[in-house]
Amino acid sequence: MINFPKNFIWGTATAAYQIEGAWDSDGKGESIWDRFCRQAGAIERNETGQVACDFYSRFPDDIQLMKSLGIPHYRFSVSWPRIFPAGTGEPDIKGLDFYDRMVDTLMAAGITPWLTLYHWDLPAVLEDRGGWPNREIGFWFRDYAYTMAKKLGDRVKHWMTINEPWVISTHGYWSGEHAPGVRCRKKAFLAAYHLMLAHGLAFDAIKSVVPTAKAGITNASQYYFCLNRHPAFEEWRRYADAENNGIFLEPVLKGTYPEIVLRHLGADAPDVREDDLQQMCRHDFMGVQYYFDNIVEMSDNGKALVNHHRYPFFHYTEMGWPVTPSGLCEYLVTFSREYSPREIVVTENGSAWADFLAPNGKIYDVERQDYLIKHVQQVFEAVKKGAPVSGYFAWSFMDNFEWTRGYRPRFGLVYVDYPSQKRYVKESGHLYAKMIRHNGVDPAWIDRSQSERKS
Ligand code: BGC
């Protein structure tokens, strides 16, 4: 049995577009994801987030369920187009009212709200005005942050500005596999830069309203490592790390931008300004989101190849991602050593498996329990090694719309039967509740006896 330090923060996380549904209710504006999902073939089985988990209407029951499991902290995101259907101008009263009621319901249940301002659902009208590659977005985002802080800052004391700027810029503006589906390297790096600027501006806006708030940003954190120690490989590892982690971490934690990336990008590099870097350099805590780590290898044509499918010896989740728990501790420790963040919160970690709802209403998700325990153990190891980790949020509270993969991958601790919208707590959900009660974990808690029921 391992025990975490007193006051360790335990929570679960979700995001607006993945759970709320009600995509055009009460005056909500269109988001880039509403639009993207309508493109044939963009999402597996052409699924959309139009209904999702219908959290918009069902949130009181979902919060009661969270309470019944004893989950003390809940991380959710606000849908920007619910608040500013026209992108800028006057906020929408009904949109604000929804989050006002939701936060009140959380408080009444004794659950601490952790609010993310941007989890990928940009108002489509702002994409029409240039989206993240347009520098003005930093100021639109600042005004949105200010509006939310004014409305909820009396109750919400934990704020996250942007969720995973890496995914937004690379998937949204470079490979085009995510909304808004743009394929342009230059725009991707501009977007990445403006995301950081928006973070810094929003940080100040939040603090101007709620000086006692704690604010941070969450990053997709991948620990890159080479199997081959050849110097050329190591050079590529350093580059992959700078391009995927450094351009988001250096501005926030050091007020610098990785030189190696500027050199490599040439004409596609953003115009990095000293005053911008100073504005970006803000954090009270850093959110680390970890799913798996990455191997860097050299391809035949001499280019770097970052390919986690090269782990022949690992177990893979439903996403096709390898289960690599030790990378979490390594990342937390290395990140702490290299960047000295004030505080780290693991704001997402979880896994998708082909869950099966047994006739008795149970879900014997042994793999998820195993993943959960192994990763929480690694967080504990990192704390022991001195990383300033103060909390852990499991992704996700319930199954939800997994972006381009639709509803098939199930990440939840709670199973959602979409046709009936009924919720069933998985065995991993009960396990997590037990971990929270004990403020620690014992690997012997996994009940493996039922695993054969799946087949
Ligand atoms: C995102 C979540 C997503 C999860 C699993 C994270 O990158 O923040 O929205 O569901 O990964 O793919």
Side-chain angles (χ1 to χ4, degrees):
M1 169 90 197
I2 55 174
N3 281 107
F4 277 80
K6 249 171 106 183
N7 302 326
F8 191 77
I9 294 158
W10 298 98
T12 57
T14 61
Y17 190 73
Q18 294 180 273
I19 63 164
E20 284 179 4
W23 74 285
D24 62 349
S25 301
D26 294 335
K28 174 181 165 292
E30 187 189 33
S31 82
I32 55 172
W33 276 91
D34 293 320
R35 199 183 265 181
F36 191 67
C37 289
R38 284 200 297 271
Q39 287 175 27
I43 312 294
E44 287 181 19
R45 298 165 299 282
N46 290 320
E47 290 170 343
T48 77
Q50 290 190 356
V51 178
C53 309
D54 191 24
F55 182 76
Y56 191 73
S57 334
R58 294 169 194 266
F59 75 87
D61 290 346
D62 286 330
I63 291 173
Q64 277 319 302
L65 185 57
M66 248 176 249
K67 181 181 175 184
S68 73
L69 290 171
I71 295 168
H73 298 264
Y74 175 50
R75 172 175 177 242
F76 62 94
S77 80
V78 173
S79 157
W80 189 351
R82 257 190 224 296
I83 307 301
F84 285 102
T88 53
E90 286 303 307
D92 187 85
I93 303 295
K94 286 190 175 148
L96 286 172
D97 181 57
F98 167 63
Y99 294 103
D100 194 46
R101 283 183 288 125
M102 208 248 279
V103 166
D104 275 348
T105 310
L106 286 169
M107 305 296 283
I111 300 171
T112 306
W114 289 59
L115 187 154
T116 305
L117 284 166
Y118 187 70
H119 201 126
W120 307 355
D121 45 354
L122 185 70
V125 286
L126 293 184
E127 183 55 34
D128 294 339
R129 292 166 70 181
W132 287 104
N134 177 354
R135 186 180 169 86
E136 271 188 75
I137 199 165
F139 305 94
W140 303 331
F141 189 68
R142 178 197 58 194
D143 295 347
Y144 162 52
Y146 182 80
T147 304
M148 294 316 299
K150 275 274 187 208
K151 183 71 187 175
L152 301 177
D154 56 336
R155 288 151 288 162
V156 178
K157 306 295 178 193
H158 298 88
W159 294 75
M160 284 141 294
T161 53
I162 311 245
N163 182 73
E164 298 191 348
W166 175 79
V167 174
I168 300 166
S169 53
T170 59
H171 293 39
Y173 291 93
W174 194 353
S175 68
E177 65 200 272
H178 274 193
V182 175
R183 293 200 180 97
C184 171
R185 185 172 82 155
K186 189 175 175 64
K187 283 191 178 165
F189 281 89
L190 268 179
Y193 186 75
H194 297 146
L195 282 156
M196 296 294 97
L197 183 60
H199 157 75
L201 291 166
F203 185 100
D204 286 355
I206 296 163
K207 297 289 228 183
S208 73
V209 180
V210 199
T212 55
K214 276 195 174 182
I217 183 166
T218 71
N219 283 291
S221 312
Q222 287 150 119
Y223 176 74
Y224 288 84
F225 74 96
C226 282
L227 289 182
N228 190 316
R229 284 289 157 199
H230 187 281
F233 282 47
E234 176 54 20
E235 180 62 17
W236 273 109
R237 188 204 67 78
R238 283 199 327 118
Y239 184 72
D241 187 45
E243 185 184 286
N244 296 290
N245 294 320
I247 64 168
F248 305 107
L249 298 179
E250 278 195 29
V252 174
L253 291 150
K254 297 182 176 171
T256 56
Y257 194 92
E259 274 298 322
I260 189 176
V261 176
L262 293 178
R263 272 203 313 278
H264 184 87
L265 290 178
D268 283 354
D271 177 20
V272 176
R273 286 167 32 178
E274 193 47 47
D275 55 338
D276 285 349
L277 290 176
Q278 277 173 26
Q279 179 66 58
M280 296 173 188
C281 193
R282 305 272 191 282
H283 85 287
D284 294 317
F285 69 91
M286 294 297 289
V288 164
Q289 319 212 136
Y290 179 88
Y291 290 89
F292 58 89
D293 61 13
N294 272 321
I295 280 182
V296 182
E297 285 181 308
M298 199 73 93
S299 60
D300 295 342
N301 62 7
K303 289 204 166 148
L305 180 70
V306 180
N307 189 346
H308 57 82
H309 296 287
R310 290 286 187 95
Y311 289 96
F313 34 88
F314 281 116
H315 197 47
Y316 287 89
T317 69
E318 187 75 356
M319 295 294 281
W321 297 344
V323 178
T324 56
S326 61
L328 176 53
C329 174
E330 281 177 82
Y331 183 84
L332 291 168
V333 171
T334 316
F335 172 47
S336 307
R337 199 175 48 229
E338 286 180 11
Y339 290 95
S340 311
R342 292 198 181 94
E343 184 179 334
I344 301 175
V345 180
V346 177
T347 38
E348 279 183 31
N349 171 243
S351 59
W353 302 98
D355 294 322
F356 169 72
L357 178 61
N360 64 359
K362 294 200 171 204
I363 297 98
Y364 298 103
D365 54 343
V366 173
E367 291 102 335
R368 187 175 293 97
Q369 295 177 59
D370 193 55
Y371 182 102
L372 180 63
I373 287 192
K374 288 196 170 119
H375 285 76
V376 165
Q377 282 176 316
Q378 292 296 318
V379 174
F380 183 75
E381 285 304 310
V383 172
K384 261 195 350 206
K385 290 184 175 156
V389 187
S390 60
Y392 175 90
F393 285 72
W395 183 269
S396 174
F397 172 62
M398 59 184 157
D399 295 336
N400 55 49
F401 178 73
E402 178 50 34
W403 308 110
T404 56
R405 304 291 301 275
Y407 292 97
R408 194 162 289 167
R410 292 177 174 272
F411 273 92
L413 298 175
V414 171
Y415 184 93
V416 177
D417 177 52
Y418 293 107
S420 67
Q421 288 291 354
K422 275 180 85 169
R423 282 42 167 163
Y424 300 84
V425 180
K426 300 179 192 176
E427 291 307 291
S428 60
H430 293 300
L431 171 71
Y432 194 49
K434 190 165 175 181
M435 285 162 63
I436 294 169
R437 282 199 303 278
H438 290 260
N439 192 33
V441 65
D442 186 336
W445 287 348
I446 302 187
D447 176 8
R448 293 179 190 277
S449 61
Q450 302 287 352
S451 57
E452 67 275 11
R453 284 197 182 218
K454 292 184 65 169
S455 45

